[in-house]
Structure formats: structure tokens, C-alpha cells
Amino acid sequence: MEPLKLSRFLSRVKVCLSYRCLSTSISCTQKSTTRKDEFSSRLAAGPRLNEFFANTSPIYPSVEEDAPHYITENSLPPVNNKVYLETYGCQMNVSDTEIAWSILQKSGYVRINTAAEADVILLVTCSIRDKAEQTIWNRVQQLAYLKQKRCKSRGPLRIGILGCMAERLKEEILQREKAVDILAGPDAYRDLPRLLAVAETGQQAANVLLSLDETYADIIPVQTSSNNVSAFVSIMRGCDNMCTYCIVPFTRGRERSRPLHSILEEVRMLSDQGIKEVTLLGQNVNSYLDRSSVQISTTETSQLSRGFSTVYKPKAGGLRFVDLLDQVSRIDPEMRIRFTSPHPKDFPDEVLQLIRERRNICKQIHIPAQSGSNRVLESMRRGYNREAYLDLIHNIREQVPGVSLSSDFITGFCQETEEDHQQTVSLLREVSYNAAFLFAYSMRKKTRAYHRLSDDVPAEVKKRRLEELIAVFREEAERVNKRAVGRTQLVLVEGASKRSSEELCGRNDGNTKVVFPDFHMETASPQETRVQARPGDYVLVKITASSSQSLRGRLVGLANLQSSSSYSEL
């Protein structure tokens, strides 16, 4: 081929190739643009980001068509439905038992009073100290024997661990004790029917998830005690204080408060049932803060006791403990109101003034000290020193004349010296409490103390120091209670004395037990000349004797809360 013709031919081939490449590039670009437009269109029509997040209130899945066979919408009540509940630990566990039973009752379970007859045995547990957990381990071994000896015709016995121990140890329980069928943490009681249904199939089941918002506000507790005089009402759950020794933030989670309206509804219901005393419950009960039902916007932060601090930032807005206490105390003037367990940091003057003004708010305050040593208090991260604590005690007694005080103390905390111990002894003498809860320190895993401190006080030293604290407390309490002898006090009758069927017992305003003979009293009513005190009655009792734990007296007559001026002004 001639050179000229070859050159022209190659030029044409280059042009054709360039055009084809350009066409392909344009086509690819157009396809890419079309795909991007299509994706953008589909994205705009699809779900938004907020649809992937849970709402602030807990959501519980409805039953789907493909739900497991053991939780269908038309499920019959469980066949092996006899449940036996045992409660260990604090008042919050009593309240949790009532919540758990309310949930199970709605699912067709029947409560019985003996473990031998039960199909399901549930232990509501405590994990605050090692001794509390050892009690549960021992009980589980007893139940394992009961489970092994159970007649096969009755079906398998199911055993469950509920509450703080389940939350702390989790799968360790299931691995260590095969007799346990279910675990449910403090925030998982709604899941009990499902867990039991799974256990019915022969599998172990657990739910130990903690919640940021679960308060069981919509669950009406079913009272589990035979006492129809008093009741517990849980108002908040969890704790944010993070004291170095305490497991509560890890077993109960962060603080969250029930909406005020749900608490008022429950208290009104209890009043209608004839309950004469309500105790408001919470791990840090006086840090109550309801942000769900605020009618007037506020940016005010929480008021702390003078000289106290927190490990968290001040919490702004919401209805506070004083607002709750105010409204609860207005529901029934003849119903006593107590609260526990508070933290000393959350006693602003407005709370103390309200306690002084309202006759049905008991003049009894629990104010945990834990130690009398500044060095130990700092190590515990309590947020105050001895001087601030004593200043608060002085302020409380000044604001609320005749107040009864109780406290908590831990002896043998990490690196506690003999001098530290003696400072605690001196605090017990200086304050002179009406009641106290005294314990030897028990280190808990997960706590700050476990990770950063050494549990170096020998067990025998802890035991000796505890015995010394108990002796000093009893000495001071006996001296305090002697002041009541010769006075007439208002007592709420709870029932027959445990030691004698011929005596009644009740509690005065300061929560001290009062025992007195049960006999008919004269009355001014022409229709009824003689009456007898019954549980739920307010009576006047003249105190004739005392001990460190209780008072004894003589029945004077019936009374009521608002008209009587006889209080435990010890």
C-alpha cells in the first residue's frame, strides 16, 4: 500500500476509535447520572434517620404472625402456673416483687404461699454485700434438691433469679448453678412471661439489659404482704452518685424518675384502699426529678445541701422532690408519708420546711453518713466532709424540731485506720441516732474501689470495729429513747405483737416500734361504749418503758393524725 493511502487509513481509524471511546464515556456518564438520580429518589422516599432510633418511652414489640409458638396473641394461660416469690434485701426489692407479681398475674399465673406447691420459684435478690449473695446461693442449692425430687407428672420446676444479683453476675449464675432456669435484671420484669415460656421448653433464658427510661410507671403493683396498713411506692430508680464502694449504679443503672402524675394516681388508689402510711422509695429518693410533666418551663438547677458536691453536672429543669412531696402529702391528710433512702446532698431548706409544716409528713429523716473520717469520706467519693455533714444535722434539727434521725455506716473500708474508726465512733456519739444500719465493708466487683483500692482491713478487725459501732449506737439509742418515757405519743397500729397475742404494736412518728396491751377502751359515743384498737387505727400511747430498739406504753385512746399534737419529739 502506498504510504499516503496508509497514512489516510490510519487517521480514519484513530478518528473512529476516538469517537467510539467518547460515546462510551458519555454513555457511562449518563448511566452513572441516572443511577445517582434513581438512588437519590429512592433515598428521599425511604425512612428517615430518626425512624431508626427508639422513642424516649420504652417500646415493647407487638406479637407478629411469625412470633414463636410460646408467645402468641391467643395463648392460653400457662398450665404450670403456680408461682412462689421470695424477697431478699431492701424495700426496693419488696416494691420490685409487687411489680413482678402484677405482671405475672396478668399473664395467668397464680401466687401460692409455699415453695413445695410451686411450679415456678422466683427469688428477688440483693447484691449489696457478699453475705447477701451467699444467702441466695445457699437457697438455690436447697431449691435444686427440691427440683430434683419433684414428681415428673407435675412437670419441671422452674427456678428464677431476679433483681440485683442477676444483673451483677449474669451468665455466671447459669454456668455455676444449672438448676437456675431464668435470670431477669431489675429492668426486665416485663419480660418475665416470655422468659418463663422459654424455660418451659427446657432452655435457660435471661434478660439483664439495663434501661435508661424504665420506671414501670404504668404497672400497678400488687401488694404481696399481709400488712394492709402501709405500702411502698417507688418514685425513681437507679443512682448517679458513683460512690466508690457501691454496686447500685451497676445493678440498677442510671437515675430516672417516674412521672409525677403516675405516682399521685398510685397514692390515691392506696388511700382509697385504706392504706394509712406510704413510703416513697428510690436509691437516691430525694434527687427525684421529673422532666416529663413540666407545665412551667424552668432552667433552675438542683439545690444541694450547703457544703455538698456531686460527681455529675447540676441537673436543670423539671419537678423536684419538694414538688412531689408537697402534692403527695395533700392527697390524704390522714395518711402518713415517709421516704427512703435519701442522700445527704439533696436536703435543701425548702424540703426541710415542708417536712416541718405538713403534719402527715413524718418527722423522721434517714441521713446516711457511712463514715466519720474525712479521709475515708473522700476515698468513698461521698461529696462532703464531716463538718458539712454535722452542719446539715444541726440545720435539720433546727428546721424540724423533735426530728428522729437514722443513718448507715460502713466499717473497715479500704485503708481505714484505727484513727478513722474512732472518728466514726465519735460521730455516732455526737449525733445520737434513733436508728442505724451498720455493716462491715464487702468489696464488690465493677466498683471504683475494686479497680483502684485495696481491701486491706483484715476480717477480724472489721468484725471488732463493727461490734464497737453497734455497742456505741445501742448505748446512744437507749439514751435517746429514754426521753420518751412519761410522754404520750401518736402511734399507728400495725397489728399484734410478735411476742404476745395480748399486745399490739405500731410505730410512732419517728418510726420507733411501740408495744402496748390490747384491751377495750372507753368511748364518748352513746352507741358504742367500748372500742378496741385495730390495725390502721391511730392511738395515743403513754410511754412507760424504753430500750435501744423499742418503746412500751399504756393505751390512752383512739386519735387521728390531724387533730393530735402528740408526736415523737424525743
Side-chain angles (χ1 to χ4, degrees):
M1 184 179 290
E2 296 179 5
L4 181 60
K5 289 183 179 181
L6 179 61
S7 174
R8 287 177 180 175
F9 174 75
L10 292 174
S11 297
R12 288 176 184 175
V13 169
K14 286 181 181 179
V15 171
C16 289
L17 289 173
S18 298
Y19 176 78
R20 186 173 295 175
C21 289
L22 179 61
S23 299
T24 302
S25 176
I26 292 173
S27 176
C28 290
T29 302
Q30 288 175 342
K31 286 181 180 179
S32 176
T33 303
T34 303
R35 287 173 183 168
K36 287 181 181 179
D37 292 341
E38 183 180 351
F39 176 76
S40 299
S41 176
R42 290 171 61 188
L43 183 63
R48 297 183 179 278
L49 182 63
N50 60 3
E51 295 181 44
F52 291 90
F53 292 92
N55 294 328
T56 54
S57 58
I59 296 177
Y60 304 97
S62 58
V63 178
E64 303 289 344
E65 290 183 3
D66 59 349
H69 64 86
Y70 46 80
I71 46 170
T72 58
E73 202 168 270
N74 298 318
S75 289
L76 295 173
V79 177
N80 299 322
N81 66 341
K82 296 176 183 177
V83 62
Y84 175 73
L85 291 148
E86 287 185 3
T87 307
Y88 298 82
C90 66
Q91 298 98 324
M92 281 296 293
N93 281 359
V94 176
S95 177
D96 279 7
T97 302
E98 295 174 349
I99 290 169
W101 171 228
S102 178
I103 292 167
L104 290 172
Q105 189 179 53
K106 289 180 180 178
S107 297
Y109 285 87
V110 177
R111 191 173 185 201
I112 58 172
N113 297 319
T114 59
E117 300 175 13
D119 301 311
V120 178
I121 298 176
L122 301 176
L123 310 181
V124 183
T125 63
C126 174
S127 196
I128 199 73
R129 280 172 290 277
D130 181 65
K131 184 178 179 181
E133 290 186 354
Q134 289 304 319
T135 300
I136 300 301
W137 286 124
N138 293 337
R139 182 56 174 151
V140 169
Q141 289 179 1
Q142 295 170 4
L143 297 177
Y145 178 78
L146 187 66
K147 187 174 187 176
Q148 183 180 359
K149 296 298 182 181
R150 183 180 174 90
C151 179
K152 291 184 178 180
S153 62
R154 296 178 59 192
L157 173 64
R158 288 161 289 165
I159 299 172
I161 303 295
L162 277 55
C164 292
M165 187 171 168
E167 190 65 48
R168 191 182 88 82
L169 297 178
K170 298 181 174 62
E171 65 275 3
E172 181 181 331
I173 296 175
L174 299 179
Q175 293 169 0
R176 174 173 168 177
E177 187 51 76
K178 300 301 181 183
V180 176
D181 299 288
I182 74 164
L183 296 179
D187 293 344
Y189 299 142
R190 293 181 192 269
D191 203 25
L192 280 172
R194 184 191 68 84
L195 295 174
L196 288 169
V198 172
E200 189 74 26
T201 67
Q203 303 176 68
Q204 290 181 315
N207 185 343
V208 289
L209 294 175
L210 287 174
S211 169
L212 290 175
D213 47 29
E214 179 63 272
T215 62
Y216 301 105
D218 59 322
I219 303 293
I220 301 298
V222 178
Q223 278 196 279
T224 57
S225 68
S226 57
N227 180 358
N228 294 318
V229 175
S230 59
F232 296 121
V233 175
S234 176
I235 68 168
M236 59 87 67
R237 301 176 74 85
C239 183
D240 289 345
N241 292 317
M242 300 300 291
C243 300
T244 56
Y245 57 84
C246 190
I247 192 64
V248 168
F250 304 96
T251 59
R252 291 276 180 173
R254 299 293 299 273
E255 284 184 18
R256 62 270 190 204
S257 299
R258 278 178 67 181
L260 186 141
H261 68 83
S262 73
I263 299 169
L264 298 181
E265 181 182 346
E266 184 175 343
V267 174
R268 288 191 192 98
M269 180 193 71
L270 293 170
S271 175
D272 292 340
Q273 293 173 0
I275 296 296
K276 290 297 183 69
E277 182 178 281
V278 161
T279 302
L280 306 177
L281 296 180
Q283 269 77 30
N284 187 176
V285 68
N286 53 341
S287 71
Y288 175 85
L289 182 62
D290 173 22
R291 291 193 178 101
S292 69
S293 54
V294 180
Q295 297 177 354
I296 302 175
S297 178
T298 175
T299 57
E300 293 182 5
T301 57
S302 302
Q303 297 284 325
L304 297 180
S305 307
R306 290 186 292 274
F308 288 70
S309 62
T310 66
V311 297
Y312 53 82
K313 294 180 180 179
K315 300 175 182 180
L319 297 172
R320 306 184 185 283
F321 184 65
V322 67
D323 302 309
L324 171 67
L325 201 57
D326 173 41
Q327 295 199 42
V328 166
S329 64
R330 293 178 186 273
I331 290 174
D332 184 350
E334 289 296 312
M335 175 189 279
R336 275 179 172 172
I337 307 298
R338 301 187 189 274
F339 57 89
T340 197
S341 178
H343 191 286
K345 68 177 170 50
D346 295 306
F347 277 110
D349 287 348
E350 57 185 357
V351 171
L352 301 177
Q353 290 164 6
L354 183 65
I355 294 173
R356 179 185 62 202
E357 293 168 2
R358 297 288 162 82
R359 303 193 77 171
N360 62 334
I361 301 178
C362 292
K363 310 302 179 283
Q364 178 256 327
I365 295 176
H366 186 65
I367 184 162
Q370 306 302 357
S371 176
S373 163
N374 282 341
R375 194 191 65 80
V376 174
L377 288 171
E378 183 179 2
S379 181
M380 289 178 166
R381 292 214 305 181
R382 289 291 289 171
Y384 56 85
N385 56 28
R386 179 190 177 106
E387 292 71 29
Y389 181 86
L390 286 172
D391 182 59
L392 176 60
I393 294 291
H394 175 76
N395 188 41
I396 289 174
R397 285 179 163 156
E398 189 176 72
Q399 296 271 4
V400 189
V403 66
S404 295
L405 297 177
S406 58
S407 190
D408 296 336
F409 285 92
I410 296 172
T411 188
F413 185 65
C414 305
Q415 288 99 49
E416 182 188 69
T417 65
E418 195 63 32
E419 182 183 353
D420 295 327
H421 169 64
Q422 291 303 321
Q423 288 176 7
T424 301
V425 170
S426 70
L427 184 65
L428 278 167
R429 293 194 184 280
E430 186 169 354
V431 177
S432 296
Y433 299 96
N434 297 77
F437 302 90
L438 308 157
F439 303 98
Y441 174 63
S442 175
M443 182 169 273
R444 306 279 78 194
K445 290 182 180 179
K446 295 185 180 179
T447 62
R448 186 181 177 91
Y450 178 80
H451 291 291
R452 303 197 178 192
L453 301 176
S454 173
D455 184 13
D456 57 353
V457 179
E460 60 273 16
V461 175
K462 289 181 181 179
K463 182 181 178 182
R464 174 183 60 80
R465 290 176 183 175
L466 179 60
E467 290 171 350
E468 289 179 11
L469 292 184
I470 291 173
V472 171
F473 158 70
R474 287 180 174 170
E475 179 185 333
E476 290 299 314
E478 187 170 1
R479 185 174 62 83
V480 169
N481 284 343
K482 274 186 179 179
R483 300 175 194 164
V485 176
R487 297 183 179 181
T488 301
Q489 296 191 342
L490 184 68
V491 175
L492 176 60
V493 182
E494 294 180 340
S497 170
K498 292 181 178 179
R499 295 189 177 182
S500 172
S501 59
E502 296 180 356
E503 292 182 320
L504 293 174
C505 72
R507 293 189 178 271
N508 64 15
D509 193 69
N511 208 29
T512 302
K513 182 185 288 187
V514 181
V515 180
F516 52 93
D518 179 16
F519 65 87
H520 289 77
M521 299 169 288
E522 300 292 337
T523 176
S525 171
Q527 291 82 15
E528 193 175 18
T529 58
R530 295 174 69 82
V531 296
Q532 191 171 16
R534 296 171 298 180
D537 286 340
Y538 288 107
V539 295
L540 294 175
V541 177
K542 186 166 186 178
I543 306 303
T544 58
S546 67
S547 70
S548 63
Q549 303 295 313
S550 62
L551 303 171
R552 298 188 69 86
R554 175 176 56 83
L555 191 60
V556 174
L558 294 175
N560 62 63
L561 185 57
Q562 290 301 309
S563 63
S564 174
S565 59
S566 298
Y567 286 89
S568 304
E569 298 180 359
L570 302 183

Short mmCIF file of all heavy atoms in Angstrom, two decimals, residues 404-405 432-435 473-487 489 508 510-514 543-552 568-570:
data_model
loop_
_atom_site.label_atom_id
_atom_site.label_comp_id
_atom_site.label_asym_id
_atom_site.label_seq_id
_atom_site.Cartn_x
_atom_site.Cartn_y
_atom_site.Cartn_z
N SER A 404 -36.51 12.68 114.33
CA SER A 404 -35.77 11.44 114.60
C SER A 404 -34.83 11.18 113.43
O SER A 404 -35.24 11.30 112.27
CB SER A 404 -36.74 10.26 114.75
OG SER A 404 -37.57 10.43 115.87
N LEU A 405 -33.61 10.82 113.75
CA LEU A 405 -32.60 10.62 112.72
C LEU A 405 -32.11 9.18 112.71
O LEU A 405 -31.92 8.56 113.76
CB LEU A 405 -31.40 11.55 112.94
CG LEU A 405 -31.68 13.05 112.87
CD1 LEU A 405 -30.42 13.83 113.18
CD2 LEU A 405 -32.23 13.45 111.51
N SER A 432 -26.13 10.99 118.01
CA SER A 432 -27.12 10.21 118.77
C SER A 432 -28.35 9.87 117.91
O SER A 432 -29.42 10.48 118.04
CB SER A 432 -27.56 10.97 120.03
OG SER A 432 -26.48 11.13 120.92
N TYR A 433 -28.19 8.89 117.04
CA TYR A 433 -29.25 8.49 116.12
C TYR A 433 -30.31 7.64 116.84
O TYR A 433 -30.01 6.93 117.80
CB TYR A 433 -28.67 7.67 114.97
CG TYR A 433 -27.66 8.40 114.14
CD1 TYR A 433 -26.29 8.26 114.39
CD2 TYR A 433 -28.04 9.24 113.10
CE1 TYR A 433 -25.35 8.91 113.63
CE2 TYR A 433 -27.10 9.90 112.32
CZ TYR A 433 -25.75 9.75 112.59
OH TYR A 433 -24.82 10.40 111.83
N ASN A 434 -31.54 7.72 116.34
CA ASN A 434 -32.61 6.84 116.83
C ASN A 434 -32.47 5.43 116.27
O ASN A 434 -32.87 4.46 116.91
CB ASN A 434 -33.98 7.39 116.43
CG ASN A 434 -34.26 8.75 117.06
OD1 ASN A 434 -33.73 9.76 116.60
ND2 ASN A 434 -35.05 8.76 118.12
N ALA A 435 -31.94 5.32 115.06
CA ALA A 435 -31.75 4.02 114.42
C ALA A 435 -30.53 4.11 113.51
O ALA A 435 -30.18 5.19 113.03
CB ALA A 435 -32.99 3.62 113.62
N PHE A 473 -23.75 2.62 119.24
CA PHE A 473 -25.06 3.02 118.75
C PHE A 473 -26.16 2.66 119.75
O PHE A 473 -27.04 3.47 120.06
CB PHE A 473 -25.37 2.38 117.40
CG PHE A 473 -26.84 2.33 117.11
CD1 PHE A 473 -27.55 3.49 116.85
CD2 PHE A 473 -27.54 1.13 117.17
CE1 PHE A 473 -28.92 3.47 116.63
CE2 PHE A 473 -28.90 1.09 116.97
CZ PHE A 473 -29.59 2.26 116.69
N ARG A 474 -26.15 1.41 120.24
CA ARG A 474 -27.19 0.97 121.17
C ARG A 474 -27.19 1.79 122.45
O ARG A 474 -28.25 2.12 122.99
CB ARG A 474 -27.02 -0.52 121.47
CG ARG A 474 -27.42 -1.41 120.31
CD ARG A 474 -27.24 -2.88 120.64
NE ARG A 474 -27.75 -3.72 119.56
CZ ARG A 474 -27.57 -5.03 119.48
NH1 ARG A 474 -26.88 -5.66 120.43
NH2 ARG A 474 -28.07 -5.72 118.46
N GLU A 475 -26.01 2.12 122.90
CA GLU A 475 -25.90 2.95 124.10
C GLU A 475 -26.56 4.31 123.88
O GLU A 475 -27.32 4.80 124.72
CB GLU A 475 -24.43 3.11 124.46
CG GLU A 475 -24.16 3.97 125.68
CD GLU A 475 -22.67 4.19 125.91
OE1 GLU A 475 -21.87 3.32 125.51
OE2 GLU A 475 -22.31 5.24 126.49
N GLU A 476 -26.26 4.92 122.73
CA GLU A 476 -26.83 6.24 122.43
C GLU A 476 -28.33 6.16 122.16
O GLU A 476 -29.10 7.01 122.60
CB GLU A 476 -26.11 6.86 121.23
CG GLU A 476 -24.68 7.26 121.49
CD GLU A 476 -24.57 8.31 122.58
OE1 GLU A 476 -25.34 9.30 122.55
OE2 GLU A 476 -23.73 8.14 123.49
N ALA A 477 -28.77 5.11 121.43
CA ALA A 477 -30.19 4.97 121.12
C ALA A 477 -31.02 4.74 122.37
O ALA A 477 -32.14 5.26 122.51
CB ALA A 477 -30.40 3.82 120.13
N GLU A 478 -30.47 3.98 123.32
CA GLU A 478 -31.18 3.75 124.59
C GLU A 478 -31.34 5.07 125.34
O GLU A 478 -32.39 5.34 125.93
CB GLU A 478 -30.43 2.73 125.42
CG GLU A 478 -31.17 2.30 126.67
CD GLU A 478 -30.53 1.12 127.36
OE1 GLU A 478 -29.48 0.63 126.87
OE2 GLU A 478 -31.07 0.68 128.40
N ARG A 479 -30.30 5.86 125.32
CA ARG A 479 -30.37 7.17 125.99
C ARG A 479 -31.40 8.08 125.33
O ARG A 479 -32.16 8.77 126.00
CB ARG A 479 -28.97 7.82 125.97
CG ARG A 479 -28.88 9.13 126.74
CD ARG A 479 -27.44 9.61 126.78
NE ARG A 479 -26.92 9.89 125.45
CZ ARG A 479 -27.13 11.03 124.80
NH1 ARG A 479 -27.89 11.98 125.33
NH2 ARG A 479 -26.62 11.21 123.61
N VAL A 480 -31.42 8.06 123.99
CA VAL A 480 -32.39 8.89 123.25
C VAL A 480 -33.82 8.44 123.54
O VAL A 480 -34.71 9.26 123.79
CB VAL A 480 -32.11 8.82 121.73
CG1 VAL A 480 -33.25 9.44 120.94
CG2 VAL A 480 -30.80 9.53 121.41
N ASN A 481 -34.06 7.13 123.52
CA ASN A 481 -35.41 6.62 123.72
C ASN A 481 -35.93 6.85 125.14
O ASN A 481 -37.14 6.93 125.36
CB ASN A 481 -35.48 5.13 123.37
CG ASN A 481 -35.47 4.89 121.88
OD1 ASN A 481 -35.73 5.79 121.08
ND2 ASN A 481 -35.16 3.67 121.48
N LYS A 482 -35.03 6.96 126.12
CA LYS A 482 -35.45 7.21 127.49
C LYS A 482 -36.18 8.55 127.63
O LYS A 482 -37.00 8.72 128.53
CB LYS A 482 -34.24 7.18 128.43
CG LYS A 482 -33.88 5.80 128.93
CD LYS A 482 -32.77 5.86 129.97
CE LYS A 482 -32.44 4.46 130.47
NZ LYS A 482 -31.33 4.47 131.46
N ARG A 483 -35.87 9.47 126.74
CA ARG A 483 -36.52 10.78 126.80
C ARG A 483 -38.01 10.69 126.56
O ARG A 483 -38.78 11.58 126.92
CB ARG A 483 -35.90 11.72 125.76
CG ARG A 483 -34.42 11.98 125.92
CD ARG A 483 -33.93 12.82 124.75
NE ARG A 483 -32.48 12.85 124.66
CZ ARG A 483 -31.81 13.25 123.58
NH1 ARG A 483 -32.47 13.66 122.52
NH2 ARG A 483 -30.49 13.24 123.57
N ALA A 484 -38.44 9.60 125.92
CA ALA A 484 -39.86 9.46 125.59
C ALA A 484 -40.69 8.98 126.78
O ALA A 484 -41.92 9.12 126.77
CB ALA A 484 -40.03 8.48 124.43
N VAL A 485 -40.04 8.40 127.78
CA VAL A 485 -40.78 7.85 128.93
C VAL A 485 -41.54 8.98 129.63
O VAL A 485 -40.97 10.03 129.94
CB VAL A 485 -39.82 7.14 129.90
CG1 VAL A 485 -40.57 6.67 131.15
CG2 VAL A 485 -39.14 5.96 129.22
N GLY A 486 -42.83 8.71 129.87
CA GLY A 486 -43.69 9.71 130.50
C GLY A 486 -44.46 10.57 129.51
O GLY A 486 -45.41 11.27 129.89
N ARG A 487 -44.09 10.51 128.25
CA ARG A 487 -44.78 11.28 127.21
C ARG A 487 -45.87 10.45 126.55
O ARG A 487 -45.81 9.22 126.53
CB ARG A 487 -43.80 11.77 126.16
CG ARG A 487 -42.76 12.73 126.69
CD ARG A 487 -41.87 13.23 125.58
NE ARG A 487 -40.87 14.17 126.06
CZ ARG A 487 -39.98 14.78 125.28
NH1 ARG A 487 -39.99 14.53 123.97
NH2 ARG A 487 -39.10 15.61 125.80
N GLN A 489 -47.62 9.59 122.98
CA GLN A 489 -47.26 9.66 121.57
C GLN A 489 -48.37 9.10 120.69
O GLN A 489 -49.13 8.21 121.10
CB GLN A 489 -45.96 8.88 121.32
CG GLN A 489 -44.76 9.46 122.03
CD GLN A 489 -43.47 8.85 121.56
OE1 GLN A 489 -43.44 7.78 120.94
NE2 GLN A 489 -42.36 9.53 121.83
N ASN A 508 -44.40 4.98 116.04
CA ASN A 508 -44.66 6.40 116.24
C ASN A 508 -44.18 7.19 115.04
O ASN A 508 -43.70 6.62 114.05
CB ASN A 508 -44.03 6.88 117.55
CG ASN A 508 -42.51 6.78 117.56
OD1 ASN A 508 -41.86 6.61 116.52
ND2 ASN A 508 -41.92 6.88 118.75
N GLY A 510 -41.59 8.88 114.65
CA GLY A 510 -40.16 8.71 114.40
C GLY A 510 -39.77 7.33 113.93
O GLY A 510 -38.59 7.00 113.84
N ASN A 511 -40.77 6.47 113.65
CA ASN A 511 -40.58 5.11 113.14
C ASN A 511 -40.01 4.15 114.18
O ASN A 511 -39.43 3.12 113.83
CB ASN A 511 -39.68 5.12 111.90
CG ASN A 511 -39.99 3.95 110.96
OD1 ASN A 511 -41.12 3.48 110.91
ND2 ASN A 511 -39.00 3.50 110.24
N THR A 512 -40.17 4.48 115.45
CA THR A 512 -39.76 3.58 116.53
C THR A 512 -40.93 2.67 116.90
O THR A 512 -42.07 3.13 117.00
CB THR A 512 -39.32 4.38 117.78
OG1 THR A 512 -38.25 5.25 117.42
CG2 THR A 512 -38.87 3.45 118.89
N LYS A 513 -40.65 1.38 117.09
CA LYS A 513 -41.70 0.43 117.44
C LYS A 513 -42.22 0.71 118.86
O LYS A 513 -41.44 0.92 119.79
CB LYS A 513 -41.18 -1.00 117.35
CG LYS A 513 -42.23 -2.06 117.67
CD LYS A 513 -41.65 -3.45 117.70
CE LYS A 513 -41.32 -3.93 116.31
NZ LYS A 513 -40.89 -5.37 116.30
N VAL A 514 -43.55 0.69 118.99
CA VAL A 514 -44.20 0.90 120.28
C VAL A 514 -45.11 -0.29 120.56
O VAL A 514 -45.96 -0.63 119.73
CB VAL A 514 -45.01 2.21 120.30
CG1 VAL A 514 -45.66 2.42 121.68
CG2 VAL A 514 -44.13 3.40 119.94
N ILE A 543 -45.96 6.43 127.11
CA ILE A 543 -44.76 5.59 127.17
C ILE A 543 -44.36 5.37 128.63
O ILE A 543 -44.23 6.32 129.41
CB ILE A 543 -43.62 6.24 126.38
CG1 ILE A 543 -44.07 6.54 124.93
CG2 ILE A 543 -42.39 5.32 126.39
CD1 ILE A 543 -44.56 5.34 124.16
N THR A 544 -44.14 4.11 128.97
CA THR A 544 -43.79 3.74 130.35
C THR A 544 -42.39 3.11 130.46
O THR A 544 -41.84 3.05 131.55
CB THR A 544 -44.82 2.75 130.92
OG1 THR A 544 -44.87 1.58 130.07
CG2 THR A 544 -46.20 3.38 130.98
N ALA A 545 -41.84 2.61 129.36
CA ALA A 545 -40.51 1.98 129.40
C ALA A 545 -39.88 2.06 128.02
O ALA A 545 -40.56 2.27 127.00
CB ALA A 545 -40.63 0.52 129.85
N SER A 546 -38.55 1.89 127.98
CA SER A 546 -37.84 2.00 126.70
C SER A 546 -36.63 1.10 126.67
O SER A 546 -36.12 0.66 127.71
CB SER A 546 -37.40 3.45 126.47
OG SER A 546 -36.40 3.82 127.42
N SER A 547 -36.17 0.81 125.46
CA SER A 547 -34.90 0.13 125.22
C SER A 547 -34.26 0.79 124.02
O SER A 547 -34.78 1.77 123.49
CB SER A 547 -35.13 -1.36 124.96
OG SER A 547 -35.76 -1.55 123.70
N SER A 548 -33.13 0.25 123.56
CA SER A 548 -32.47 0.85 122.39
C SER A 548 -33.25 0.61 121.11
O SER A 548 -33.06 1.31 120.12
CB SER A 548 -31.06 0.29 122.24
OG SER A 548 -31.11 -1.12 122.00
N GLN A 549 -34.16 -0.39 121.11
CA GLN A 549 -34.86 -0.76 119.89
C GLN A 549 -36.34 -0.39 119.87
O GLN A 549 -36.93 -0.26 118.80
CB GLN A 549 -34.74 -2.28 119.68
CG GLN A 549 -33.31 -2.79 119.61
CD GLN A 549 -32.56 -2.27 118.42
OE1 GLN A 549 -33.05 -2.28 117.30
NE2 GLN A 549 -31.34 -1.79 118.65
N SER A 550 -36.97 -0.26 121.05
CA SER A 550 -38.42 -0.07 121.07
C SER A 550 -38.87 0.65 122.33
O SER A 550 -38.09 0.89 123.26
CB SER A 550 -39.12 -1.43 120.98
OG SER A 550 -38.79 -2.23 122.11
N LEU A 551 -40.17 0.96 122.33
CA LEU A 551 -40.82 1.61 123.47
C LEU A 551 -42.00 0.76 123.90
O LEU A 551 -42.60 0.04 123.10
CB LEU A 551 -41.32 3.01 123.08
CG LEU A 551 -40.28 4.00 122.55
CD1 LEU A 551 -40.98 5.25 122.01
CD2 LEU A 551 -39.27 4.38 123.63
N ARG A 552 -42.34 0.86 125.18
CA ARG A 552 -43.53 0.19 125.71
C ARG A 552 -44.40 1.25 126.38
O ARG A 552 -43.89 2.23 126.92
CB ARG A 552 -43.18 -0.91 126.70
CG ARG A 552 -42.35 -2.03 126.10
CD ARG A 552 -42.20 -3.17 127.08
NE ARG A 552 -43.46 -3.87 127.28
CZ ARG A 552 -43.91 -4.86 126.49
NH1 ARG A 552 -43.19 -5.26 125.44
NH2 ARG A 552 -45.04 -5.45 126.75
N SER A 568 -43.49 12.20 118.18
CA SER A 568 -42.27 11.62 118.77
C SER A 568 -41.20 12.68 118.94
O SER A 568 -40.16 12.65 118.30
CB SER A 568 -41.73 10.50 117.87
OG SER A 568 -42.69 9.52 117.66
N GLU A 569 -41.44 13.63 119.78
CA GLU A 569 -40.46 14.69 119.99
C GLU A 569 -39.48 14.22 121.05
O GLU A 569 -39.60 14.52 122.23
CB GLU A 569 -41.16 15.98 120.38
CG GLU A 569 -42.10 16.47 119.27
CD GLU A 569 -42.81 17.76 119.64
OE1 GLU A 569 -42.60 18.25 120.76
OE2 GLU A 569 -43.58 18.27 118.82
N LEU A 570 -38.51 13.43 120.62
CA LEU A 570 -37.58 12.79 121.55
C LEU A 570 -36.39 13.69 121.82
O LEU A 570 -35.88 14.31 120.91
CB LEU A 570 -37.11 11.46 120.97
CG LEU A 570 -38.24 10.47 120.65
CD1 LEU A 570 -37.63 9.17 120.15
CD2 LEU A 570 -39.11 10.19 121.85
#
